[in-house]
Amino acid sequence: MRTLSLVVGLLLLAPKALADDAPQRKPARSGTATVPLEELIPLYAGRETPAPAPPTDAVVTSTLKGRLSSDALQVEAGFQVEVLADERWTQVRLLQLDSDTFTTTLPTLDDAMVGVVDGYLCLLTRKAGRHVFDVGLTVRSQGAGPERRAQLRFGPHASPVPLALEADTSVFTLTESLPTSREGYTVYPSQGALRVGWRALSPVAREAKPQVRPPLEPRISEAVASWVSTLEGRATLRVRYDLSLDREQSLELSVPEGLSLERLTLNSIPVPVEGAEAGVLKLKVAPPRLGETEGVLEVVLAQELGVFHLSGRLKLALPRVSWPVAELRARAHFPSVFNYRREGGSLEQLEAADVAAEPAGESLPGKVLHFRQYLVAASAPTLELGYSVDISSSYFR
């Protein structure tokens, strides 16, 4: 331990009457004393040691979320208060409530009370433990002009924390630039308070900022085709295209060789088919009503397959469209006296177990075969079928 040696000189002087009497003068006495430095400095400075800080009664953790309205800031405050003192009343001051701030929702706790005391939002309890609760607050704007300002002050027992602010920029304009966050914006405290300024946009200003939707890429979400053939070899092909578009668009449809166009409808409205002799139709398609994004194009074609023999091959094709097709489903109804097998083409045959049951009233006579193709782009789907006489139920077996 560092010490300081203090030499104290004690001079004992004789009475003044004996000052001139040198033989009777007593000798001076001297000595040393060792004093610790920690005790010497307060004595030297003339100050006392400061009193220790008072004990902490509670520890507070809080989160704040806010939402702007036309004339107020709506706040949802979440608190977690750890009370340390037991068997005596403890008052924890969380927020300072000004004349423009009032509570909208207060919690109900088992071992504590939450309320307003002397202008503070307080937690009162006489039992140690943790208390978790939420409080709703409304902070009204100061003033009545176009610019609004709200202020929320923290209490002496709650540390200032940021406010996660939700503000619709199409309705409100913030008077100060704020850092963005996942919740919207972040308001940081300054001098123990949170301050927010905003201005409501006028209806004219809101109309000046319409929500612009990006243009929709035209495509065909699904195409459904069906062939129906008689024993004499005359086949009818019906194709329905489910269009996805948001405005008028151009669509080209190429009729395969050997097929003739009989009827064309757009959104259930017949479309003239003049000029189809060249095999390419240039159409203008659009949704049935403004603002919608769906349409339906139906095409009916006829084809002469020729007379069925005891065995043979059928070559089938669908029209080619200029838009991409996400999924194509096809169904063929052919005379039931033959067996059919897929021998080529881009369409894939499906097993009966993979096909959903047909709705009542839509079944057609003959043997039905199902096919499918995904992601058709600028090509004409094709199918080749071989057939032979079905003798499974005849007396030749």
Side-chain angles (χ1 to χ4, degrees):
M1 180 183 300
R2 296 188 307 167
T3 61
L4 178 67
S5 297
L6 179 65
V7 179
V8 181
L10 301 177
L11 299 176
L12 300 179
L13 300 178
K16 187 176 183 181
L18 302 178
D20 297 331
D21 192 1
Q24 296 182 2
R25 183 180 298 172
K26 294 183 180 180
R29 298 182 182 181
S30 62
T32 61
T34 302
V35 180
L37 182 61
E38 289 79 2
E39 299 179 6
L40 179 62
I41 292 177
L43 296 176
Y44 177 78
R47 296 187 300 233
E48 297 181 356
T49 304
T56 302
D57 293 335
V59 178
V60 179
T61 304
S62 57
T63 58
L64 298 177
K65 294 182 180 180
R67 178 176 53 85
L68 291 180
S69 63
S70 58
D71 59 351
L73 171 65
Q74 309 294 334
V75 179
E76 296 179 3
F79 296 99
Q80 178 176 305
V81 182
E82 188 78 26
V83 178
L84 307 179
D86 198 6
E87 299 301 331
R88 66 180 179 87
W89 283 105
T90 301
Q91 182 186 104
V92 185
R93 295 186 173 185
L94 304 171
L95 297 173
Q96 181 177 349
L97 305 185
D98 300 331
S99 59
D100 296 323
T101 306
F102 55 91
T103 59
T104 54
T105 58
L106 291 174
T108 301
L109 305 179
D110 295 335
D111 302 324
M113 295 178 293
V114 178
V116 180
V117 179
D118 297 332
Y120 288 92
L121 177 67
C122 299
L123 171 75
L124 297 173
T125 184
R126 58 179 304 172
K127 185 176 180 180
R130 178 176 299 176
H131 305 277
V132 180
F133 54 93
D134 298 327
V135 177
L137 301 165
T138 296
V139 185
R140 290 181 298 190
S141 170
Q142 302 171 359
E147 292 191 4
R148 304 303 179 99
R149 297 194 64 84
Q151 177 178 270
L152 180 63
R153 294 185 177 274
F154 292 91
H157 298 110
S159 300
V161 295
L163 169 73
L165 179 64
E166 177 185 348
D168 188 353
T169 55
S170 64
V171 180
F172 303 105
T173 298
L174 299 175
T175 58
E176 298 179 2
S177 60
L178 298 175
T180 58
S181 66
R182 185 174 58 183
E183 300 293 337
Y185 299 90
T186 301
V187 182
Y188 288 97
S190 176
Q191 299 179 352
L194 294 166
R195 298 176 179 86
V196 182
W198 73 98
R199 182 190 302 108
L201 295 178
S202 62
V204 177
R206 295 181 204 173
E207 294 176 0
K209 294 183 178 180
Q211 297 293 331
V212 179
R213 184 174 59 186
L216 187 65
E217 186 69 21
R219 66 186 184 95
I220 298 174
S221 57
E222 185 182 54
V224 179
S226 64
W227 286 280
V228 178
S229 175
T230 63
L231 191 60
E232 291 77 13
R234 178 171 177 80
T236 300
L237 172 61
R238 186 185 304 270
V239 188
R240 189 196 73 211
Y241 299 99
D242 293 338
L243 309 178
S244 178
L245 72 169
D246 57 357
R247 65 197 71 186
E248 186 179 78
Q249 300 283 353
S250 298
L251 173 66
E252 289 189 3
L253 186 142
S254 300
V255 179
E257 185 179 357
L259 278 73
S260 59
L261 183 62
E262 291 192 344
R263 187 169 66 256
L264 184 68
T265 61
L266 176 62
N267 302 321
S268 302
I269 300 175
V271 177
V273 294
E274 289 81 0
E277 294 78 6
V280 179
L281 297 177
K282 295 183 178 181
L283 308 172
K284 293 292 186 179
V285 295
R289 285 173 290 274
L290 184 64
E292 296 186 355
T293 59
E294 295 179 353
V296 177
L297 177 67
E298 292 186 343
V299 183
V300 179
L301 304 103
Q303 181 180 7
E304 292 292 339
L305 298 177
V307 179
F308 281 83
H309 302 283
L310 295 180
S311 63
R313 176 175 292 189
L314 302 175
K315 292 186 177 182
L316 307 173
L318 293 173
R320 182 185 65 84
V321 291
S322 57
W323 292 4
V325 181
E327 180 182 1
L328 169 64
R329 293 186 291 111
R331 185 176 58 192
H333 295 267
F334 289 139
S336 58
V337 295
F338 297 100
N339 288 325
Y340 302 92
R341 61 190 180 276
R342 177 183 177 277
E343 294 187 350
S346 60
L347 292 172
E348 173 192 5
Q349 187 169 0
L350 299 178
E351 300 295 334
D354 300 331
V355 179
E358 296 182 10
E362 293 190 7
S363 60
L364 295 173
K367 286 187 177 179
V368 58
L369 297 91
H370 295 272
F371 305 92
R372 180 178 60 192
Q373 184 176 348
Y374 291 110
L375 302 178
V376 183
S379 63
T382 58
L383 175 64
E384 294 185 13
L385 292 177
Y387 67 91
S388 59
V389 174
D390 183 6
I391 61 173
S392 59
S393 59
S394 65
Y395 64 92
F396 292 105
R397 292 184 61 191

